[in-house]
Protein backbone atom coordinates (compact mmCIF):
# COMPACT_ATOMS: atom_id res chain seq x y z
CA UNK A 1 0.00 0.00 0.00
CA UNK A 2 1.00 3.59 -0.63
CA UNK A 3 1.38 6.21 2.12
CA UNK A 4 0.90 9.87 1.14
CA UNK A 5 2.64 11.67 4.00
CA UNK A 6 1.78 15.21 2.89
CA UNK A 7 -1.46 16.33 1.23
CA UNK A 8 -3.74 19.37 1.36
CA UNK A 9 -7.12 17.88 0.47
CA UNK A 10 -8.82 20.73 2.32
CA UNK A 11 -7.60 23.09 -0.45
CA UNK A 12 -10.43 24.79 -2.41
CA UNK A 13 -9.14 23.26 -5.65
CA UNK A 14 -10.70 19.97 -4.46
CA UNK A 15 -14.09 21.50 -3.64
CA UNK A 16 -15.75 20.25 -6.82
CA UNK A 17 -14.87 16.58 -6.58
CA UNK A 18 -13.29 16.00 -3.14
CA UNK A 19 -15.58 13.19 -1.98
CA UNK A 20 -15.37 11.25 -5.23
CA UNK A 21 -11.61 11.64 -5.43
CA UNK A 22 -11.04 10.56 -1.83
CA UNK A 23 -13.36 7.58 -2.34
CA UNK A 24 -11.26 6.45 -5.31
CA UNK A 25 -7.93 6.41 -3.44
CA UNK A 26 -8.27 3.06 -1.73
CA UNK A 27 -8.88 1.21 -5.03
CA UNK A 28 -5.71 2.85 -6.33
CA UNK A 29 -3.71 1.37 -3.45
CA UNK A 30 -3.46 4.54 -1.35
CA UNK A 31 -3.72 3.20 2.20
CA UNK A 32 -3.06 6.25 4.35
CA UNK A 33 -2.89 10.02 3.86
CA UNK A 34 -1.72 12.71 6.25
CA UNK A 35 -3.55 15.95 5.55
CA UNK A 36 -1.31 18.81 6.62
CA UNK A 37 -2.49 22.07 8.17
CA UNK A 38 -1.01 25.23 6.70
CA UNK A 39 -2.97 27.77 8.73
CA UNK A 40 -5.46 27.78 11.59
CA UNK A 41 -8.33 27.52 9.11
CA UNK A 42 -6.80 24.67 7.17
CA UNK A 43 -5.98 22.88 10.42
CA UNK A 44 -9.68 23.11 11.30
CA UNK A 45 -10.60 21.66 7.91
CA UNK A 46 -7.97 18.95 8.44
CA UNK A 47 -9.61 17.91 11.72
CA UNK A 48 -12.89 17.53 9.87
CA UNK A 49 -11.38 15.47 7.06
CA UNK A 50 -9.71 13.06 9.47
CA UNK A 51 -12.98 12.58 11.32
CA UNK A 52 -14.84 11.86 8.08
CA UNK A 53 -12.37 9.46 6.45
CA UNK A 54 -10.84 6.50 8.21
CA UNK A 55 -7.62 6.55 6.13
CA UNK A 56 -6.93 10.27 6.62
CA UNK A 57 -4.72 11.41 9.50
CA UNK A 58 -3.94 15.01 10.34
CA UNK A 59 -1.16 17.45 11.17
CA UNK A 60 -1.79 20.74 12.98
CA UNK A 61 0.36 23.78 12.30
CA UNK A 62 0.91 27.17 10.74
CA UNK A 63 3.05 27.45 7.60
CA UNK A 64 5.77 30.17 7.72
CA UNK A 65 4.03 32.18 4.99
CA UNK A 66 0.78 32.14 7.02
CA UNK A 67 2.19 33.21 10.39
CA UNK A 68 1.93 37.00 9.88
CA UNK A 69 -1.04 37.56 12.15
CA UNK A 70 -1.10 34.65 14.55
CA UNK A 71 -1.03 35.09 18.30
CA UNK A 72 -0.09 33.15 21.38
CA UNK A 73 -3.79 32.52 21.86
CA UNK A 74 -3.86 30.72 18.51
CA UNK A 75 -1.00 28.54 19.72
CA UNK A 76 -3.04 27.58 22.77
CA UNK A 77 -5.88 26.47 20.49
CA UNK A 78 -3.47 24.59 18.22
CA UNK A 79 -2.01 22.73 21.18
CA UNK A 80 -5.50 21.90 22.43
CA UNK A 81 -6.32 19.88 19.29
CA UNK A 82 -3.16 17.79 19.49
CA UNK A 83 -4.74 15.15 21.69
CA UNK A 84 -7.33 14.34 19.00
CA UNK A 85 -7.37 10.81 17.79
CA UNK A 86 -5.51 10.58 14.47
CA UNK A 87 -3.64 13.88 14.94
CA UNK A 88 -0.15 12.58 14.20
CA UNK A 89 2.18 15.58 13.76
CA UNK A 90 2.83 19.29 14.13
CA UNK A 91 3.08 20.90 10.68
CA UNK A 92 3.70 22.29 8.42
CA UNK A 93 6.09 24.64 10.18
CA UNK A 94 9.41 26.15 9.18
CA UNK A 95 11.01 28.95 7.20
CA UNK A 96 10.31 30.21 3.69
CA UNK A 97 12.83 32.81 2.56
CA UNK A 98 11.76 32.54 -1.06
CA UNK A 99 8.74 34.51 0.07
CA UNK A 100 10.29 36.84 2.65
CA UNK A 101 6.81 37.72 3.80
CA UNK A 102 6.25 37.78 6.75
CA UNK A 103 9.74 38.87 7.72
CA UNK A 104 12.33 36.27 8.75
CA UNK A 105 12.34 37.28 12.42
CA UNK A 106 8.63 36.58 12.67
CA UNK A 107 8.90 33.31 10.76
CA UNK A 108 11.67 32.18 13.15
CA UNK A 109 9.64 33.11 16.21
CA UNK A 110 6.66 30.95 15.26
CA UNK A 111 8.84 28.12 13.98
CA UNK A 112 10.62 27.91 17.34
CA UNK A 113 7.29 28.23 19.16
CA UNK A 114 5.75 25.34 17.22
CA UNK A 115 8.84 23.18 17.70
CA UNK A 116 8.37 23.72 21.43
CA UNK A 117 4.73 22.69 21.07
CA UNK A 118 5.75 19.47 19.34
CA UNK A 119 8.05 18.72 22.25
CA UNK A 120 5.22 19.39 24.71
CA UNK A 121 2.71 17.14 23.02
CA UNK A 122 5.22 14.44 22.01
CA UNK A 123 4.53 14.60 18.29
CA UNK A 124 6.91 14.57 15.30
CA UNK A 125 7.22 17.67 13.09
CA UNK A 126 6.60 18.27 9.38
CA UNK A 127 9.11 20.92 8.32
CA UNK A 128 8.79 23.26 5.35
CA UNK A 129 12.10 24.90 4.44
CA UNK A 130 12.68 26.89 1.29
CA UNK A 131 15.78 28.97 0.53
CA UNK A 132 16.63 28.85 4.23
CA UNK A 133 18.90 25.80 4.50
CA UNK A 134 21.33 27.07 7.11
CA UNK A 135 18.82 28.98 9.24
CA UNK A 136 16.45 25.99 9.42
CA UNK A 137 19.20 23.55 10.33
CA UNK A 138 20.65 25.93 12.96
CA UNK A 139 17.26 26.33 14.66
CA UNK A 140 16.48 22.63 14.56
CA UNK A 141 19.83 21.78 16.11
CA UNK A 142 19.48 24.47 18.78
CA UNK A 143 15.98 23.19 19.64
CA UNK A 144 17.21 19.58 19.70
CA UNK A 145 14.54 18.63 17.17
CA UNK A 146 15.93 15.14 16.85
CA UNK A 147 14.11 14.42 20.13
CA UNK A 148 10.79 14.89 18.33
CA UNK A 149 11.80 13.54 14.95
CA UNK A 150 9.82 14.13 11.80
CA UNK A 151 10.20 14.81 8.11
CA UNK A 152 11.79 17.51 5.99
CA UNK A 153 8.98 17.89 3.49
CA UNK A 154 9.69 18.43 -0.22
CA UNK A 155 13.39 18.16 0.49
CA UNK A 156 15.20 20.62 -1.79
CA UNK A 157 18.73 20.96 -0.46
CA UNK A 158 22.12 19.35 -1.01
CA UNK A 159 23.37 15.88 -0.12
CA UNK A 160 25.41 17.42 2.70
CA UNK A 161 22.33 18.99 4.29
CA UNK A 162 20.45 15.71 3.77
CA UNK A 163 23.22 13.98 5.70
CA UNK A 164 22.75 16.37 8.62
CA UNK A 165 19.03 15.64 8.85
CA UNK A 166 19.51 11.89 8.46
CA UNK A 167 22.00 12.03 11.35
CA UNK A 168 19.31 13.75 13.45
CA UNK A 169 16.93 10.89 12.67
CA UNK A 170 14.70 12.75 10.21
CA UNK A 171 12.98 11.38 7.15
CA UNK A 172 13.14 13.12 3.76
CA UNK A 173 9.87 13.79 1.90
CA UNK A 174 10.05 12.95 -1.82
CA UNK A 175 7.41 14.15 -4.27
CA UNK A 176 6.79 15.43 -7.78
CA UNK A 177 10.02 17.40 -8.07
CA UNK A 178 11.92 14.09 -8.27
CA UNK A 179 10.39 13.55 -11.74
CA UNK A 180 11.35 16.94 -13.16
CA UNK A 181 13.96 16.83 -15.89
CA UNK A 182 16.17 19.51 -14.31
CA UNK A 183 16.04 18.18 -10.74
CA UNK A 184 19.62 16.97 -10.51
CA UNK A 185 20.07 17.75 -6.83
CA UNK A 186 17.08 15.80 -5.49
CA UNK A 187 18.05 12.82 -7.66
CA UNK A 188 21.50 12.87 -6.03
CA UNK A 189 19.86 13.01 -2.59
CA UNK A 190 17.57 10.05 -3.44
CA UNK A 191 20.59 8.05 -4.59
CA UNK A 192 22.48 8.95 -1.41
CA UNK A 193 19.83 8.53 1.31
CA UNK A 194 18.97 5.03 2.54
CA UNK A 195 15.58 3.81 1.27
CA UNK A 196 14.40 3.33 4.84
CA UNK A 197 14.59 7.11 5.38
CA UNK A 198 12.53 8.29 2.42
CA UNK A 199 8.78 8.91 2.53
CA UNK A 200 6.36 9.62 -0.33
CA UNK A 201 4.38 12.84 -0.50
CA UNK A 202 2.28 14.76 -2.99
CA UNK A 203 1.91 18.21 -1.41
CA UNK A 204 -1.26 18.13 -3.52
CA UNK A 205 -2.78 20.17 -5.11
CA UNK A 206 0.76 21.45 -5.76
CA UNK A 207 3.83 19.93 -7.41
CA UNK A 208 2.27 17.32 -9.72
CA UNK A 209 4.87 14.98 -11.22
CA UNK A 210 5.73 14.72 -14.93
CA UNK A 211 3.69 14.27 -17.18
CA UNK A 212 1.11 16.19 -15.14
CA UNK A 213 3.45 19.02 -14.13
CA UNK A 214 1.50 22.25 -13.64
CA UNK A 215 -1.83 20.44 -13.25
CA UNK A 216 -3.66 19.66 -10.00
CA UNK A 217 -1.81 16.95 -8.10
CA UNK A 218 -3.33 14.08 -6.10
CA UNK A 219 -2.28 10.87 -4.36
CA UNK A 220 -3.27 8.99 -7.53
CA UNK A 221 0.03 10.13 -9.10
CA UNK A 222 2.26 8.66 -6.38
CA UNK A 223 3.12 5.57 -8.48
CA UNK A 224 5.11 7.97 -10.68
CA UNK A 225 7.20 8.98 -7.66
CA UNK A 226 7.67 5.33 -6.75
CA UNK A 227 8.91 4.68 -10.30
CA UNK A 228 11.35 7.60 -10.09
CA UNK A 229 12.82 6.40 -6.79
CA UNK A 230 13.03 2.79 -7.98
CA UNK A 231 14.84 3.87 -11.12
CA UNK A 232 17.34 6.10 -9.30
CA UNK A 233 18.09 3.47 -6.64
CA UNK A 234 18.03 0.52 -9.05
CA UNK A 235 15.46 -1.48 -7.07
CA UNK A 236 11.99 -2.91 -7.80
CA UNK A 237 8.97 -0.62 -7.48
CA UNK A 238 7.37 -3.12 -5.07
CA UNK A 239 10.30 -2.66 -2.70
CA UNK A 240 9.96 1.13 -2.79
CA UNK A 241 6.22 0.94 -2.12
CA UNK A 242 6.60 -1.51 0.77
CA UNK A 243 9.52 0.31 2.40
CA UNK A 244 8.01 3.79 2.13
CA UNK A 245 4.74 2.46 3.60
CA UNK A 246 6.66 1.16 6.59
CA UNK A 247 8.61 4.42 6.83
CA UNK A 248 5.43 6.51 6.82
CA UNK A 249 3.98 4.45 9.65
CA UNK A 250 7.19 4.71 11.66
CA UNK A 251 7.45 8.46 11.08
CA UNK A 252 3.92 9.05 12.39
CA UNK A 253 4.10 6.25 14.97
CA UNK A 254 1.29 4.29 13.41
CA UNK A 255 1.89 0.60 14.07
CA UNK A 256 1.13 -1.32 10.87
CA UNK A 257 -1.59 -3.60 12.18
CA UNK A 258 -2.66 -2.01 15.41
CA UNK A 259 -5.78 -0.01 16.10
CA UNK A 260 -5.69 3.71 16.79
CA UNK A 261 -6.65 3.12 20.41
CA UNK A 262 -3.65 0.87 20.89
CA UNK A 263 -1.37 3.42 19.28
CA UNK A 264 -2.45 6.01 21.80
CA UNK A 265 -1.83 3.63 24.66
CA UNK A 266 1.63 2.97 23.27
CA UNK A 267 2.63 6.57 22.66
CA UNK A 268 1.04 8.38 25.58
CA UNK A 269 1.69 6.05 28.52
NI1 LIG B 1 2.52 21.44 2.01
Amino acid sequence: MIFDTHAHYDNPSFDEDRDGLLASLSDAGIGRVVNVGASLESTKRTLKLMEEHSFIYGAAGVHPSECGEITEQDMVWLESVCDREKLVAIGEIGLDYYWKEPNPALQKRWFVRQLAMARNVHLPVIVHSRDAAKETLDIMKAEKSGDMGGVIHCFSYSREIAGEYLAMGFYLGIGGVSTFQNARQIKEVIAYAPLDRLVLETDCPYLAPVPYRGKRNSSLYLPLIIDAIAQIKGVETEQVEKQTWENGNKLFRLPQARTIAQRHLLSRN
Side-chain angles (χ1 to χ4, degrees), residues 133-134 137-138 141 152 155-170 172 184-194:
K134 183 180 182 307
L137 188 58
D138 285 351
K141 282 183 172 169
I152 311 301
F155 189 82
S156 61
Y157 298 132
S158 67
R159 215 168 60 172
E160 289 68 29
I161 303 273
E164 297 261 15
Y165 284 116
L166 292 172
M168 289 167 74
F170 275 78
L172 307 179
R184 185 183 52 83
Q185 187 165 256
I186 187 59
K187 288 173 184 164
E188 275 176 23
V189 167
I190 292 169
Y192 162 77

Side-chain angles (χ1 to χ4, degrees), residues 128-201:
H128 170 106
S129 178
R130 189 173 184 197
D131 291 352
K134 183 180 182 307
E135 295 85 346
T136 307
L137 188 58
D138 285 351
I139 286 177
M140 290 180 65
K141 282 183 172 169
E143 299 300 317
K144 299 195 168 46
S145 306
D147 295 352
M148 289 83 87
V151 57
I152 311 301
H153 131 72
C154 192
F155 189 82
S156 61
Y157 298 132
S158 67
R159 215 168 60 172
E160 289 68 29
I161 303 273
E164 297 261 15
Y165 284 116
L166 292 172
M168 289 167 74
F170 275 78
Y171 291 86
L172 307 179
I174 307 296
V177 178
S178 64
T179 67
F180 297 175
Q181 199 91 59
N182 56 355
R184 185 183 52 83
Q185 187 165 256
I186 187 59
K187 288 173 184 164
E188 275 176 23
V189 167
I190 292 169
Y192 162 77
L195 185 56
D196 65 4
R197 303 297 288 285
L198 301 180
V199 291
L200 304 177
E201 62 168 55

